[in-house]
Amino acid sequence: MDITEELRKIVGGRLSVSPSELYCYSSDASQVKGMPDYVVRPKSTDEVSNIVRLAYENAIPVTARGAGTGLAGGAVPVGGGIVLDMSGMNRILEIDIDNIQVVVEPGVIQDALNDALKPYGFFFPPNPGSSAMCTIGGMIAYNASGMRCVKYGTTRNYVRDLEVVLADGTVIHTGSKMLKSAAGYDLTQLIIGSEGTLGIVTRASLKIAPLPKTRKLVIASFRSAEIAGQAVVKTFSNGVIPSACEILDRVSLQVLKRYDPKLVLPSEGDVILFEVDGTENSAHEAAEQIIEVCSPLAISIKLAESEKEMADIWAARKLVGAAVSRLDPTKTRIYVGEDVGVPIKKIPELLRKAQEISEKFNLPAMKYGHIGDGNLHLALFIDVLNKDEWDRLNQAADLVHRTAIELGGTVSSEHGVGAARAEYMEAQWGPALEVMRAIKKALDPKGILNPGKLGL
């Protein structure tokens, strides 16, 4: 069978086989590489179903891809085969305010969805740093979250129904528009976070939330990242749940001040950004409580003075990972060991151990992330032409992952496992990994859906 010709019958000119175009789909934002044999750009569920059925009949690997912003190689075709570029399926199909939900195709960009919802006074809360680029399908595949999941939860808290193409081309729905259901297995939750290894999402019904009336931002500086972590634990134990709670260590502060010298941030220490939202009264009361709780531990603490000041700080925070070259143009941030998470009370210990690892391997590091839910992003940066630095980097990343597991945490809180962290799945899950493999085998007996991912 001429696979190229069969694919062309399904999608016409939306097929790429030239080496230069295939190369563009050989990586994401991670260090993982893999060259596809075909890139197909479907426009409908029927096309996806026909493509996957053809692949199943011929035992051809299929890897779904959104915007390629992933950091773990999840959308990289490590086994070759077909890449399904889902970015063309990008329609908002329904905004159903009466039922507090929307129906979208997987290629819809996160920010575009929120722009469409804003006039109605609603939003889709998960907000990864790549929200200007990432797709809803990718967010579902990875169970993405972001800065405000400490209050609002992750993507899985907002998905009511998925239309999914299974490995043999069968199309199913996993849920409904109902607020709740006790009928059968929760297939929706099974698909979320499965990274395209169990099926291809072609449509999603998503719960939305009312936009808060106001937001307040408390900016607190501490003598060390470990003390900053203690302040977070103390804040939560006093019953305050921020909408966002972010750490910026002193290296991160240097990066941001070089990126934008006008940013109103402390000049020393390690900083926690506490955001609270709600009504004017409730947000102000929560901010004052945070100031009271954290003041004994802080070097400095203040309330942001304006909406613009808050917006500038959050915009800069989203760019901190990419802006590290401002600190040393000879070094590049490498995305390994950068998405670990631990229980909240273990945050101070994780911060201390991360600093020890950085010093042990003599690698500059930047510690930032969603400390309010225990998610630390450790940014290690090296001279990519220096083999010794690469070796030390890989050793450091390995120790970071194993440290998180030892502390009862995870090797990935929001960026996914993909191929980059697959080797740690057994250490984290033990016998439960065999249950995952059994589910994979049942739904994808030929192993064509995104092979080589999740340690499956």
Side-chain angles (χ1 to χ4, degrees):
M1 180 182 292
D2 185 338
I3 299 300
T4 301
E5 185 57 33
E6 293 301 313
L7 289 171
R8 189 167 282 117
K9 288 179 183 178
I10 299 171
V11 298
R14 288 175 277 115
L15 167 69
S16 296
V17 293
S18 69
S20 60
E21 290 188 72
L22 297 179
Y23 182 77
C24 296
Y25 291 82
S26 66
S27 63
D28 56 9
S30 73
Q31 304 304 304
V32 179
K33 305 291 182 184
M35 186 67 74
D37 299 296
Y38 317 90
V39 171
V40 187
R41 303 174 184 86
K43 287 287 189 179
S44 69
T45 300
D46 283 346
E47 287 185 351
V48 174
S49 175
N50 289 331
I51 293 163
V52 173
R53 184 178 296 110
L54 175 68
Y56 185 80
E57 291 169 353
N58 293 276
I60 300 170
V62 179
T63 301
R65 180 185 178 97
T69 59
L71 296 168
V76 177
V78 295
I82 298 169
V83 165
L84 279 177
D85 181 347
M86 305 295 287
S87 61
M89 294 178 65
N90 57 5
R91 295 177 298 164
I92 298 173
L93 299 171
E94 182 181 8
I95 296 178
D96 185 358
I97 298 301
D98 290 342
N99 282 310
I100 320 174
Q101 61 190 276
V102 295
V103 180
V104 301
E105 291 183 323
V108 171
I109 300 297
Q110 156 82 350
D111 278 1
L113 175 58
N114 277 332
D115 287 345
L117 290 172
K118 189 174 182 179
Y120 297 92
F122 284 81
F123 75 129
F124 179 57
N127 65 325
S130 58
S131 62
M133 300 170 283
C134 69
T135 63
I136 298 298
M139 292 177 67
I140 291 169
Y142 281 98
N143 185 32
S145 49
M147 290 184 284
R148 295 193 175 101
C149 76
V150 62
K151 175 179 178 179
Y152 289 100
T154 66
T155 297
R156 75 168 62 253
N157 300 112
Y158 294 88
V159 183
R160 288 184 175 169
D161 178 34
L162 295 172
E163 181 182 78
V164 180
V165 176
L166 299 179
D168 64 355
T170 302
V171 180
I172 66 169
H173 277 266
T174 63
S176 70
K177 285 190 172 185
M178 293 293 298
L179 292 174
K180 63 180 183 179
S181 172
Y185 293 158
D186 193 339
L187 299 180
T188 302
Q189 294 300 313
L190 179 63
I191 295 297
I192 298 166
S194 65
E195 300 187 16
T197 62
L198 301 179
I200 311 297
V201 174
T202 53
R203 185 173 295 194
S205 295
L206 307 172
K207 181 175 71 172
I208 54 178
L211 281 165
K213 300 299 183 184
T214 190
R215 291 188 170 110
K216 304 287 184 183
L217 180 64
V218 176
I219 306 164
S221 176
F222 303 88
R223 288 193 305 277
S224 70
E226 188 173 1
I227 295 174
Q230 292 169 5
V232 172
V233 174
K234 189 177 178 183
T235 297
F236 278 82
S237 64
N238 274 269
V240 183
I241 306 298
S243 52
C245 184
E246 297 288 300
I247 186 170
L248 296 168
D249 74 350
R250 58 197 66 216
V251 180
S252 305
L253 286 181
Q254 291 180 50
V255 169
L256 290 181
K257 286 182 177 295
R258 293 195 182 194
Y259 166 74
D260 185 354
K262 298 189 295 296
L263 282 176
V264 181
L265 288 171
S267 58
E268 59 178 340
D270 298 271
V271 167
I272 301 290
L273 304 175
F274 295 97
E275 181 193 83
V276 291
D277 67 12
T279 64
E280 184 67 35
N281 288 339
S282 66
H284 181 77
E285 181 180 335
E288 290 297 322
Q289 191 174 351
I290 290 171
I291 291 172
E292 181 181 348
V293 167
C294 294
S295 288
L297 296 174
I299 298 172
S300 66
I301 190 164
K302 60 163 285 190
L303 194 63
E305 296 179 358
S306 67
E307 291 280 342
K308 183 180 185 306
E309 186 177 308
M310 286 177 56
D312 289 346
I313 289 173
W314 285 128
R317 160 61 187 88
K318 281 196 170 188
L319 293 174
V320 66
V324 69
S325 60
R326 300 293 179 97
L327 198 62
D328 185 347
T330 68
K331 296 187 182 295
T332 301
R333 190 263 176 91
I334 307 297
Y335 286 89
V336 294
E338 44 69 48
D339 186 42
V340 295
V342 295
I344 291 175
K345 70 177 182 179
K346 295 286 188 179
I347 289 169
E349 187 174 356
L350 175 63
L351 288 165
R352 176 172 55 80
K353 288 183 177 292
Q355 184 59 36
E356 290 172 355
I357 292 168
S358 171
E359 293 171 357
K360 175 180 179 179
F361 292 97
N362 192 26
L363 290 172
M366 186 169 63
K367 298 186 291 294
Y368 68 100
H370 319 309
I371 194 170
D373 55 37
N375 183 191
L376 179 68
H377 297 319
L378 183 66
L380 298 164
F381 38 107
I382 63 169
D383 176 354
V384 294
L385 301 178
N386 187 314
K387 182 181 181 303
D388 176 64
E389 290 194 18
W390 271 109
D391 291 341
R392 284 186 280 128
L393 173 83
N394 290 325
Q395 292 177 65
D398 180 68
L399 188 53
V400 168
H401 285 133
R402 298 191 186 282
T403 296
I405 293 172
E406 289 170 6
L407 293 175
T410 178
V411 297
S412 178
S413 290
E414 62 181 11
H415 293 167
V417 171
R421 287 179 269 270
E423 65 181 289
Y424 300 103
M425 288 289 279
E426 188 166 358
Q428 179 168 329
W429 291 112
L433 182 58
E434 289 305 316
V435 178
M436 297 183 199
R437 287 171 174 159
I439 293 170
K440 167 71 169 172
K441 184 70 174 177
L443 293 183
D444 182 16
K446 293 186 179 181
I448 69 164
L449 295 180
N450 211 7
K453 312 297 169 60
L454 286 170
L456 303 174

